[in-house]
Amino acid sequence: MGSAPAFASVSEAMDMARAALGYLAAADATQLAAQTQAECLRGLEQTDAISTAARAGFLSAFTAGQGYSADADYSPRAWLIHKTRVSKGAAVAHAAWARRAATHPLVVAALATGELSESYGRTICQWTDKLPEDCRGAADAILLSAAQAGMDLRDLAGLAAEIYERSRPDLPDEDPARAFEDRGVRLETTFGGAGVLTGDLAPECAAVVGTVLDALSAPAGAEDDRTREQRYHDGQADRAEAQLRAGVYARLSETYDAAESVPTQLERGTDHARRRGWAVTATFKDDGFSGFKEITRDGFGELIAAIEAGAVDVVIVRDIDRLTRNLTDWNAFEKACVRHGVRLSAYTGGDLDLSTAEGAYYGGMETLRARRESAVKSARVREAQDREARKGRRVGGGQRWFGYTRIYANPDEPNHKKRHIVREEINPVEADAIRDAAVRILDRGESVASIARDWTARGIKPVAAKQWWPTSIVGTLTSPRLAGLREWQGKKYPTTQWPAILDADTHERLVRLFADPARRKNVVRAPAHLLSRIATCPKCGNGLQYRRHGQINRADSYGCVSGPAGCGGTAIKAELLEEYVTGAVLDALESPRVQEALREGEDHHAPRRAELLAQIRDAQERQEEARRDYSDRVIDRADWLDIRQRTEDAIGAARREYDRLAGSATVMSDIPPSERVRDAWDSWSTDRRRAAIRAVLHRIIIKPLPPGANANVAGNSKNTALRRERELAILRRRVELDWRV
Ligand SMILES: [Zn+2]
């Protein structure tokens, strides 16, 4: 408060505050007039706000200086609870305000003036906390000025929601001025020469007109007995006599696809002035190249100078956000306009009177949105990349892509960065390895580790790294570019710029396989033992792990590992179990019934999946088209939102069905004929054998030893054949095969 009364010390001020509030608390309110009571209630709300701001200042300083630790408290909150004897809730609220002293300085400053209540201030902070950090201060300023202009909490919430929407850079423009297509004002002349003025005004235009009429038509004094309508009329007459002087401002575009050149902007602005009956007295332009690289803003500076000199009454621009992307510039412009009653008029639609709350925050918001758009990256670069991506074009150089050979125009250039890329050609060896790996993983259930071993053995190396890791194999195999897709901001665009190595269906199935944590675990880190996690403990349901025993007399086993993952209640000798299961699986694989079932189980969902992928692509294309039509104003916002919703629904439904079908693909679509099954088995790796077991068996349940049976069934018998026979007999009673086929 600029006019804060002088106190000798802080403690004297505290004493006075306590004394003043004590006086109010002791006053007999029942004896006071209602008007006085109302005054006190308003005043107390203000003192609450002011004391909140004061406490925030003291507490944030106290926190920064760790003043609380002098009292052996470990946090300002604990200190408040112990030393000021407040509840935890109150301490939390105080600490929140102390933080806001730094994060929302404008709000705290508004509290200190008593012009904003504590609860409004807190609500505004909670809203703007949801915004990107760099937008927060500007959003606070907009909401505060609207609140101080008398906007109630519900309308403030709407405004905050709009700011939130606008702070998200990926939304298509929404210009409320354009949404009001029916706007218009008609002036009809009657027989007597009198005029009839009627019109449909857009809400913001109505607000501006109302404010302007009020300003021009204020009662001329106590004797002025004209009606409001009469004053409005006379005000218009006064206004019409003095023709407004317009200044047109043009700036080079960075973001518009159909950019208007600076001369075109000046020409259209001048036409706009003529239509409105204004005289163009000055033009200002900035042809600087980019809004983000510190360009000189001479034209903008001259414009503000002209406003300050009282040389223009209205500023004409293409779009409100064409003025500036810099909030400091905007504030300077706004101040000058408010001081001199200058109006802002966009020839694409919408006038703005910056002296009204609506005008000021709309203008501020446009600046905020424009700034947000350009914040991270140059919008020109972004748009170019975006357009290229949508067309499926590649950008930039970078590393050679695994699977491709890069063709350079100047391959002998020693500086890599100066080599000009002509195109990517398929590298036959690597492309074959990729296709082979996709089949082995998707259709044969092999693990990524075995692909890595195989590629390493064959001398197929990654592009930059020394060796393959499971994650680099997964990354390579799931890269959209292998399917001829260009990925941009989470979306994939088909391209013909380079040849595809995998078809889209295979790509999607691989992506889904590795995206599913349960399936990924099996594929990426497959256990090295035949029945690990396939053999199951019936007591806890967990898969058994292979256990190696170092002692000579004890055999390796599969066991349930005790701990969070298992009960530790099951164990069985590994060698005999593997032998028994292998025999059973081979018998099954040789049987004509299983052979037929596995062949029938060949991926019969493939045609449907291809259909679904085509549907998804089609819906994406329709959405893309609608987005273009909306940005070209061929369709309106309602149509765009409707099309977006419908295409999203279609994409979602197709994706869900695709996911279901992609997840159910049966492994073992390449089962060898019956007579070759055993030979094939011998040549297979453990991975491949495990995949074959899983193709025919859900799981293998290892039941407890039957009552009366002894694990060491053969005792010390030297007759190995007999011992084996007895062990197998018990094993058969313990092992339950849960067949899939
Ligand atoms: Zn268990």
Side-chain angles (χ1 to χ4, degrees), residues 546-561:
Y546 193 86
R547 292 195 298 205
R548 200 181 299 280
H549 290 288
Q551 297 145 4
I552 294 167
N553 292 330
R554 295 198 60 188
D556 291 357
S557 64
Y558 287 100
C560 181
V561 177

Side-chain angles (χ1 to χ4, degrees), residues 536-542 544 560-561 565-570:
T536 311
C537 169
K539 296 174 186 164
C540 65
N542 277 302
L544 303 186
C560 181
V561 177
C567 67
T570 296

